């Protein structure tokens, strides 16, 4: 690949990428602060195609946020409510069954479950959320709870994280989503979400989950008060745990949406910032197989572009998303498989439906079987 780069520092970093060498913290900060979008995109696309060829993955999924009542008050969150708020809600068992049956009727292979930390609900209630979903549709994969929730369950039961995860697995938990990561830097975290699980706890939960055989995802919330050094530190902390466990599947950079939050005076990240974050993630996370351009958050057009800036996955049909829509996201609340196919084809990529564990889905209408895990080149 021929690149015209005049800055000798950036040239050295680009040479490392092309040679498949790992980037350091300093390399990452240099790229974040000095590389233009075009260079980041060219390098990230090179790595993306080396790992995942021309494929772009999606899944057929549905979201369920069982309650928005939450004891915490993260400053970036527009979703949470106090118990007595007009917008507070909590699902009944019948509502859970109805939601999963609705997903099943639409052919969903996955249900993504996260919510608030409801101080009047016991651990058994949260366990029952998983159990009821699993008993209603055992074939649907349950991707549920962030370390913030798992550590809350540990706090209210006084039981170790491992015990909590084992109970959840027994009830039907299949994997964990990537939320609750925000920014790991302790000072930034103190300013945006002071009381909730700290970064050590976040990593303890994922490490324990990986040791129990669960796969999980990881995220980073960018575009608020953090700076380049915090973003790169965040990515390197994730890369370090991945070296140890290989349990992460996908990384999802998440742009902060300020509307209806305590940080509403901040400006939302623009498309250039979004694409830069997708590309930087691809370049720093050399041991992650997949980078997800979450279309709900990016918008469909930026998600299409992101497929040439390092991303190889667009998430899924995502029916019933609330966290971003409460914070002002203007994207639709869901997309059909046909729309996702069109989005991916128009971006020049080949759509492949995957299940949560990145196995190829072979579909007949609303029913499916899965093939072998899809091959990604580890370089
Ligand atoms: O942890 C909350 C973020 C996350 C806002 O694993 C906000 O496949 C922007 O983790 N503006 C939850 N972001 C969503 C999440 C996720 C999404 C899609 C796929 C997967 C996966 C995981 O959303 C939270 C927080 O970082 N968030 N409020 C907001 N106003
Ligand atoms: Fe609660 Fe999660 Fe919102 Fe924080 S981000 S206030 S933990 S629902």
């Amino acid at each position: 690949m021929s690149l015209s780069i005049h800055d000798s520092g950036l040239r050295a970093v680009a040479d490392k990428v092309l040679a498949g060498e790992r980037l350091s913290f300093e390399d990452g900060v240099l790229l974040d602060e000095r590389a233009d979008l075009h260079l980041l995109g060219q390098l990230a696309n090179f790595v993306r195609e080396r790992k995942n060829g021309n494929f772009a993955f999606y899944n057929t999924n549905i979201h369920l946020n069982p309650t928005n009542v939450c004891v915490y008050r993260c400053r970036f969150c527009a979703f949470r409510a106090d118990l007595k708020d007009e917008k507070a809600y909590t699902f009944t068992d019948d509502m859970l069954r109805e939601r999963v049956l609705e997903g099943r009727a639409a052919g969903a292979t996955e249900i993504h479950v996260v919510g608030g930390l409801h101080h009047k609900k016991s651990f058994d209630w949260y366990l029952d959320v998983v159990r009821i979903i699993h008993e209603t549709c055992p074939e649907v994969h349950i991707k549920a709870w962030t370390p913030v929730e798992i550590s809350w369950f540990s706090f209210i039961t006084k039981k170790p994280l491992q015990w909590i995860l084992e109970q959840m697995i027994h009830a039907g938990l299949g994997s964990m989503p990537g939320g609750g990561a925000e920014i790991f830097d302790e000072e930034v975290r103190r300013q945006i979400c002071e009381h909730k699980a700290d970064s050590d706890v976040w990593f303890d939960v994922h490490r324990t989950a990986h040791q129990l055989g669960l796969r999980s995802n990881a995220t980073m919330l960018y575009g608020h008060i953090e700076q380049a050094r915090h973003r790169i530190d965040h990515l390197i902390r994730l890369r370090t745990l991945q070296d140890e466990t290989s349990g992460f599947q996908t990384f999802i950079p998440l742009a902060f949406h300020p509307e209806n939050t305590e940080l509403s005076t901040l400006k939302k990240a623009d498309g250039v910032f979004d694409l830069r974050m997708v590309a930087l993630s691809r370049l720093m996370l050399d041991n992650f197989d997949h980078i997800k351009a979450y279309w709900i958050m990016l918008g469909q057009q930026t998600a299409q572009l992101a497929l040439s800036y390092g991303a190889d996955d667009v998430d899924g049909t995502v029916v019933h998303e609330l966290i971003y829509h409460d914070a002002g996201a203007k994207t639709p609340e869901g997309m059909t498989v046909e729309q996702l196919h069109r989005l991916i084809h128009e971006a020049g990529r080949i759509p492949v439906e995957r299940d949560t564990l990145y196995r190829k889905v072979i579909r007949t209408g609303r029913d499916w079987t899965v093939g072998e895990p899809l091959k990604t080149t580890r370089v």
Side-chain angles (χ1 to χ4, degrees):
M1 183 198 250
S2 102
L3 295 166
S4 139
I5 309 171
H6 303 298
D7 179 315
S8 60
L10 287 176
R11 171 86 256 169
V13 178
D15 286 343
K16 277 171 114 173
V17 173
L18 299 180
E21 288 173 33
R22 175 161 279 194
L23 301 185
S24 66
F25 174 79
E26 289 73 21
D27 296 334
V29 173
L30 189 74
L31 282 175
D32 193 327
E33 292 182 342
R34 296 230 298 260
D36 63 31
L37 175 63
H38 189 56
L39 174 62
L40 283 176
Q42 279 182 304
L43 292 174
N45 193 49
F46 173 78
V47 176
R48 177 249 193 263
E49 290 186 352
R50 191 167 58 186
K51 280 184 183 284
N52 287 298
N54 203 24
F55 297 121
F57 303 106
Y58 71 93
N59 71 343
T60 309
N61 63 350
I62 185 164
H63 280 215
L64 189 162
N65 308 117
T67 180
N68 61 353
V69 175
C70 188
V71 290
Y72 293 137
R73 294 181 167 273
C74 301
R75 296 181 69 208
F76 55 78
C77 179
F79 164 74
R80 72 163 303 282
D82 286 331
L83 190 56
K84 299 241 166 350
D85 283 355
E86 211 177 300
K87 73 166 207 166
Y89 72 83
T90 302
F91 270 53
T92 61
D93 295 358
D94 281 344
M95 286 161 78
L96 294 171
R97 289 188 195 97
E98 208 177 294
R99 175 62 61 85
V100 67
L101 287 170
E102 179 196 338
R104 182 67 188 83
T109 62
E110 169 189 289
I111 183 157
H112 174 138
V113 186
V114 289
L117 309 168
H118 193 312
H119 54 295
K120 299 277 184 198
K121 293 292 180 194
S122 65
F123 173 59
D124 283 341
W125 182 80
Y126 282 92
L127 201 56
D128 276 345
V129 169
V130 173
R131 188 173 293 128
I132 289 168
I133 296 171
H134 184 62
E135 284 172 4
T136 308
C137 287
E139 65 281 25
V140 172
H141 180 106
I142 304 174
K143 181 178 76 174
W145 316 131
T146 70
V148 178
E149 287 151 322
I150 299 294
S151 72
W152 171 253
F153 305 152
S154 167
F155 172 74
I156 58 177
T157 56
K158 310 274 176 286
K159 298 279 193 188
L161 298 173
Q162 181 171 333
W163 185 87
I164 300 287
L165 285 165
E166 283 168 350
Q167 303 302 304
M168 285 291 174
I169 293 169
H170 191 246
L173 181 72
S175 67
M176 285 178 66
E182 326 313 357
I183 282 282
F184 294 134
D185 177 85
E186 282 68 19
E187 179 50 27
V188 174
R189 209 171 172 85
R190 192 186 63 72
Q191 290 189 45
I192 62 170
C193 53
E194 184 168 9
H195 298 293
K196 79 174 181 187
D198 64 19
S199 39
D200 286 345
V201 171
W202 194 94
F203 280 102
D204 277 352
V205 172
H206 280 271
R207 182 182 289 103
T208 310
H210 296 170
Q211 284 163 353
L212 292 174
L214 287 181
R215 309 299 303 277
S216 67
N217 294 338
T219 58
M220 172 173 77
L221 183 69
Y222 65 86
H224 43 90
I225 60 166
E226 91 292 353
Q227 295 177 6
R229 66 176 192 283
H230 305 124
R231 296 190 282 268
I232 301 301
D233 167 68
H234 188 97
L235 297 173
I236 289 183
R237 292 196 206 194
L238 288 171
R239 193 172 75 181
T240 306
L241 181 61
Q242 180 73 333
D243 278 342
E244 189 186 318
T245 64
S246 296
F248 289 119
Q249 305 198 103
T250 312
F251 176 75
I252 311 125
L254 297 171
F256 171 52
H257 281 50
E259 224 173 275
N260 304 322
T261 75
E262 279 187 30
L263 301 172
S264 60
T265 52
L266 297 180
K267 200 171 140 286
K268 186 181 153 315
D270 59 20
V272 172
F273 195 176
D274 289 334
L275 291 175
R276 293 180 66 85
M277 290 306 109
V278 170
L280 261 178
S281 317
R282 181 60 290 164
L283 292 171
M284 294 308 295
L285 296 175
D286 53 9
N287 53 5
F288 275 61
D289 289 344
H290 304 286
I291 302 290
K292 190 186 283 187
Y294 185 39
W295 68 263
I296 282 270
M297 177 273 276
L298 292 172
Q300 287 128 305
Q301 288 160 354
T302 306
Q304 279 184 312
L305 286 172
L307 292 176
S308 297
Y309 282 78
D312 59 276
D313 192 299
V314 291
D315 203 274
T317 43
V318 196
V319 181
H320 295 298
E321 201 286 332
L322 285 183
I323 294 175
Y324 280 86
H325 287 93
D326 282 356
K330 302 289 183 281
T331 45
E333 270 199 43
M335 268 172 101
T336 61
V337 168
E338 292 70 33
Q339 287 170 320
L340 274 175
H341 269 227
R342 193 172 333 123
L343 180 146
I344 293 171
H345 273 306
E346 281 173 4
R349 301 296 186 188
I350 303 162
V352 177
E353 181 174 358
R354 58 154 180 95
D355 72 350
T356 312
L357 303 175
Y358 282 85
R359 295 170 300 190
K360 187 174 164 56
V361 169
I362 303 144
R363 182 173 284 284
T364 330
R366 63 192 281 278
D367 296 321
W368 72 90
T369 53
V370 289
E372 289 295 300
L374 292 153
K375 275 228 164 16
T376 291
T377 317
R378 278 276 168 102
V379 262

